[in-house]
């Protein structure tokens, strides 16, 4: 019978435990239980350890025991190879496009850079311990956390008290509270992304060896689609299974698409959850409104705690404005702050937008920030703010306009009126959102990017040459501005 890495390591653990004896149970728990076997190649067993420090400690204190054990299991040439999961930086500035490297890149490219790899028949005198240095793989993960989004500058109010407290508890004790997953939900611009980053940052501060990863549902979907295309879904899944603390932002993005992505995530979720790793998910819809999500996944979301973020009341809005001003070292009269807080009551993003516009106005025109200036500006601002436009929203407006059911855009039909509605949707999505052609195609009936490009050109052409079409584009544009 051939041995698997799991059985080899399980046998090793037995021997180690025996050798350490019951009086050293704590030692065993601390230094051996966290080790995860990952592969057996010939006589080299690869194990994953949580950090560089951990590896050094093993090397310093348990080298003889490990050597003895491995040789008992794998023969006199038995060797160990370490894989160290390393989490590197927290971004200084918001990162929107960087997609974390997949397991494949991280594992295999890194291994080449590692200077310590030597082969068993080529032992290098300079290395202190050839037995251990069969190889080390360091897997670096960029957390994709935005250092500006901290818990300290997330202002507390009635609207977010539960979510903030739950977030705090999770950061203190990841994976060990009943808030797993922690689902943060609430409308656009109410602080879900900020809070999710803040919890990740706190968890990382507490335990820098933890691998924390922030990813948007859109990025996750794109990575999965790429992995399928490149036939490395195993690496993809493996990469995510190594994460200790996973933050998935905007899961409502999957509500009408990505069924296979959802399945992949479902399995990753189960794995992480079972290993007591922390999962945070955000959504701009409540679980009850996410009915189109894959049912098994939806049921998982209800396992932990769903905490909602509401619209801040006026006191909280004032506190948020003051906090932003203090952060930027800007002074503003109290009546101006109050005027903004009373008049912008939709969400925090718009509140911030109004503040920034006012500051810009005053500094560009060398005018003092007065109540009058604020009034002029806010009046304009309130009128001109449009809601955040998503592809879903564009689909809805276009379908409503042509009185078509919204599903028709997703359907493969080639009926002329539907093709036109689909093309218009793609055209506006390209124009009004930041989504890539690939994502737009995916959302409009699973088309590829070339189809989207073609649609955009067709609409642009018809808009110039066809009166009827021009009228539609015009009317729809008005609707988006309403
Ligand atoms: P969402 O993800 O819910 O759409 P964001 O987290 O992106 O919202 O928040 C929008 C903006 O509002 C961000 O700049 C964020 O820093 C700010 N914000 C939201 N809630 C708060 C809060 N309670 N205190 C301070 N800033 C906040
Ligand atoms: Mg967000």
């Amino acid at each position: 019978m051939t041995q698997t890495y799991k059985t080899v390591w399980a046998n090793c653990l037995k021997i180690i435990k025996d050798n350490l004896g019951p009086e050293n149970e704590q030692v065993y728990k601390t230094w051996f239980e966290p080790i995860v076997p990952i592969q057996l190649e010939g006589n080299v067993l690869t194990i994953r350890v949580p950090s560089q420090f951990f590896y050094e400690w093993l090397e310093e204190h348990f080298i003889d025991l490990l050597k003895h054990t491995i040789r008992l299991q794998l023969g006199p040439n038995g060797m160990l190879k370490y894989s160290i999961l390393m989490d590197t930086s927290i971004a200084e500035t918001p990162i929107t496009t960087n997609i974390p490297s997949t397991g494949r890149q991280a594992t295999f490219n890194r291994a080449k850079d590692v200077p310590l790899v030597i082969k068993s028949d080529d032992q290098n005198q300079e290395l202190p311990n050839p037995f251990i240095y069969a190889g080390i793989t360091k897997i670096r993960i960029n957390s994709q956390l935005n250092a500006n989004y901290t818990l300290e500058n997330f202002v507390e109010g009635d609207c977010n008290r539960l979510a903030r407290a739950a977030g705090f508890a999770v950061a203190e004790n990841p994976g060990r509270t009943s808030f797993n997953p922690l689902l943060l939900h609430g409308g656009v611009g109410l602080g879900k992304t900020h809070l999710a980053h803040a919890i990740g940052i706190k968890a990382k501060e507490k335990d820098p060896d933890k691998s924390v990863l922030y990813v948007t549902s859109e990025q996750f979907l794109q990575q999965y689609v790429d992995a399928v295309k490149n036939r490395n879904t195993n690496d993809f899944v493996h990469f995510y299974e190594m994460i200790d603390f996973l933050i998935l932002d905007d899961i409502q993005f999957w509500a009408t698409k990505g069924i296979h992505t959802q399945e992949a995530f479902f399995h990753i979720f189960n794995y992480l959850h079972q290993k007591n790793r922390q999962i945070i998910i955000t959504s701009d819809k409540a679980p009850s409104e996410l009915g189109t999500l894959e049912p098994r996944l939806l049921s998982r979301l209800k396992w932990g705690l769903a905490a909602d973020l509401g619209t801040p009341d006026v006191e909280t809005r004032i506190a948020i404005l003051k906090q932003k001003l203090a952060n930027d070292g800007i002074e503003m009269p109290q009546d101006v702050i109050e005027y903004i807080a009373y008049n912008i009551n939709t969400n925090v993003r718009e509140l911030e937008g109004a503040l920034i516009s006012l500051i810009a106005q005053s500094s560009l025109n060398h005018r003092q920030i007065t109540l009058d200036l604020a009034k002029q500006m806010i009046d304009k601002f309130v009128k001109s703010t449009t809601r955040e436009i998503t592809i879903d929203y564009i689909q809805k407006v276009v379908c409503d306009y042509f009185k078509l059911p919204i599903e028709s855009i997703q359907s493969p039909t080639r009926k002329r009126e539907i093709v036109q509605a689909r093309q218009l949707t793609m055209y506006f999505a390209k124009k009004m959102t930041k989504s890539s052609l690939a994502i737009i195609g995916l959302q409009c009936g699973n088309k590829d990017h070339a189809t989207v490009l073609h649609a955009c050109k067709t609409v642009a052409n018809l808009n110039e040459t066809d009166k009827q079409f021009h009228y539609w584009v015009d009317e729809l544009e008005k609707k988006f501005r309403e």
Side-chain angles (χ1 to χ4, degrees), residues 22-246:
E23 68 279 14
N24 284 318
E25 197 185 332
Q26 199 48 48
V27 171
Y28 173 81
K29 280 203 166 130
T30 311
W31 298 105
F32 294 95
E33 276 189 356
I35 297 174
V36 184
I38 45 183
Q39 141 172 322
L40 179 64
E41 263 180 322
N43 58 358
V44 180
L45 175 71
T46 307
I47 57 174
R48 193 171 69 233
V49 295
S51 65
Q52 175 80 24
F53 171 74
F54 199 105
Y55 147 73
E56 282 167 9
W57 187 274
L58 286 178
E59 221 242 321
E60 206 178 315
H61 296 88
F62 303 109
I63 180 70
D64 290 332
L65 176 57
L66 278 167
K67 192 191 238 170
H68 167 76
T69 311
I70 284 290
R71 291 190 176 162
L72 274 181
Q73 281 302 306
L74 297 174
N77 295 324
M79 296 233 264
L80 260 191
K81 184 169 168 174
Y82 290 87
S83 165
I84 304 176
L85 194 58
M86 297 237 316
D87 192 346
T88 53
S89 58
I90 290 180
E92 295 294 335
T93 45
I95 294 180
T96 44
T97 50
N98 262 2
I99 293 174
S101 42
T102 62
R104 184 188 193 86
Q105 282 167 338
T107 316
F108 300 122
N109 293 346
R110 275 290 153 199
K112 285 196 208 115
D113 310 338
V114 173
L116 298 174
V117 180
I118 61 161
K119 294 194 197 87
S120 51
D121 54 352
D122 177 25
Q123 295 187 353
N124 185 330
Q125 287 305 307
E126 280 170 27
L127 290 171
N129 199 321
F131 163 73
I132 284 299
Y133 288 118
I136 303 172
T137 316
K138 290 184 182 173
I139 300 160
R140 288 170 206 275
I141 293 169
N142 185 325
S143 288
Q144 311 286 333
L145 291 169
N146 179 346
N148 299 320
Y149 286 158
T150 60
L151 263 187
E152 288 67 34
N153 60 31
F154 187 77
V155 174
E156 185 171 346
D158 286 345
C159 56
N160 61 32
R161 194 157 284 123
L162 171 70
R164 198 176 184 282
F168 198 84
V170 160
E172 287 285 307
N173 224 345
R176 303 277 164 191
T177 66
S178 51
F179 311 150
N180 199 16
L182 174 61
L183 177 69
L184 302 172
H185 64 94
V188 169
L190 294 176
K192 302 177 296 293
T193 298
H194 183 143
L195 184 57
H197 276 272
I199 303 168
I201 290 171
K202 178 125 260 131
K204 190 95 190 100
E205 272 167 15
K206 223 179 154 254
D207 185 352
D209 285 335
K210 276 237 152 35
S211 57
V212 180
L213 181 69
Y214 168 87
V215 65
T216 66
S217 303
E218 183 168 355
Q219 288 169 339
F220 187 95
L221 185 140
Q222 189 69 59
Q223 290 168 5
Y224 181 74
V225 170
D226 288 347
V228 170
K229 204 160 64 196
N230 301 326
R231 308 219 170 109
N232 57 9
T233 46
N234 278 346
D235 291 341
F236 172 85
V237 171
H238 186 213
F239 171 76
Y240 274 96
E241 286 182 350
M242 291 189 306
I243 306 299
D244 294 314
F245 195 118
L246 181 63

Side-chain angles (χ1 to χ4, degrees), residues 36 175-176 241 269-278:
V36 184
R176 303 277 164 191
E241 286 182 350
F269 180 105
N270 285 343
Y271 181 90
L272 296 180
H273 194 272
Q274 197 200 355
K275 302 259 174 206
N276 288 327
R277 318 269 185 80
Q278 183 66 44

Side-chain angles (χ1 to χ4, degrees), residues 298-312:
L298 188 58
S299 83
R300 291 298 185 271
L301 299 189
K302 296 174 184 163
W303 276 7
L305 175 76
D308 87 314
L309 288 157
T311 317

Side-chain angles (χ1 to χ4, degrees), residues 187-194 214 249-250 252 282 284 349 388:
V188 169
L190 294 176
K192 302 177 296 293
T193 298
H194 183 143
Y214 168 87
D249 205 0
D250 287 325
Q252 81 284 342
T282 80
D284 68 16
R349 192 171 296 150
E388 182 161 306

